[in-house]
Amino acid sequence: GEVERGEVDGDDGKGNGEGFKRVLIEELPDEEEAVGESAGGDLVEELDGGAVPRNFRQNEQNVTMIVRVSSVDEASVSIKYTRTKVILDFAANLKEGRTRYRQTVHTYGDIDPLSCRHDVSGTNMVVILRKAEADKWAAFEGAERSDNPPPPPPPPGKR
């Protein structure tokens, strides 16, 4: 009787996991529907927030960007850091309605993307950018630059 019970479970006894695959495929449509429903529920009209209101502070190691938007929806925050820029994308539930902000901020100096972080509070969002080299920047925002470092200078002595 043991083998028969195994077959009922969908395992053909060959140990190739076929039974499990079949079960997973059967469950997939439910998941798709659930995802579809939540996506449909998220289709809230979003206003365009335009330029992100922001202030900057700095010390030798970090630049702190204070995003002056209250009621930021923490779940909506997507921030991408590269060597030369910060790409902000988030929504806030303002009294005018849900407002989407998308902006790329080009930094004056290089930052270390892996050491950057952000923190959302009720009144604002703080984005902490770690400088690639400890130094005071003359400005916070700079011209758009390539994320690839410049090529090294040619070795001296070759003419």
Side-chain angles (χ1 to χ4, degrees):
E2 288 300 310
V3 177
E4 283 170 18
R5 215 174 312 133
E7 283 171 3
V8 171
D9 288 339
D11 188 322
D12 57 11
K14 293 185 192 142
N16 58 9
E18 282 297 320
F20 292 111
K21 266 189 218 140
R22 221 172 301 137
V23 169
L24 280 177
I25 292 167
E26 283 168 24
E27 287 176 6
L28 272 177
D30 293 349
E31 285 174 28
E32 280 171 25
E33 278 170 38
V35 168
E37 281 166 31
S38 66
D42 288 344
L43 291 176
V44 179
E45 273 294 308
E46 286 187 339
L47 304 166
D48 181 3
V52 174
R54 56 201 183 275
N55 293 77
F56 292 93
R57 311 226 182 315
Q58 70 171 325
N59 59 26
E60 293 279 313
Q61 278 79 40
N62 300 308
V63 168
T64 304
M65 176 167 50
I66 297 108
V67 176
R68 299 192 325 273
V69 176
S70 61
S71 306
V72 170
D73 176 3
E74 195 161 356
S76 76
V77 176
S78 161
I79 301 183
K80 184 167 182 263
Y81 305 98
T82 73
R83 200 173 62 87
T84 63
K85 62 184 175 284
V86 182
I87 302 163
L88 301 166
D89 185 346
F90 63 92
N93 296 308
L94 306 179
K95 60 179 182 295
E96 301 84 23
R98 189 170 169 90
T99 305
R100 172 69 58 175
Y101 291 89
R102 285 190 181 91
Q103 182 153 8
T104 299
V105 177
H106 297 279
T107 56
Y108 176 81
D110 289 356
I111 58 175
D112 173 6
L114 297 178
S115 301
C116 297
R117 57 195 167 84
H118 68 276
D119 185 37
V120 175
S121 75
T123 53
N124 63 21
M125 177 167 60
V126 176
V127 181
I128 294 154
L129 308 176
R130 172 64 57 92
K131 295 176 180 176
E133 291 171 25
D135 194 12
K136 280 276 202 264
W137 291 357
F140 297 110
E141 297 187 50
E144 185 170 346
R145 296 171 291 144
S146 165
D147 278 316
N148 302 318
K158 294 206 169 159
R159 294 195 196 291

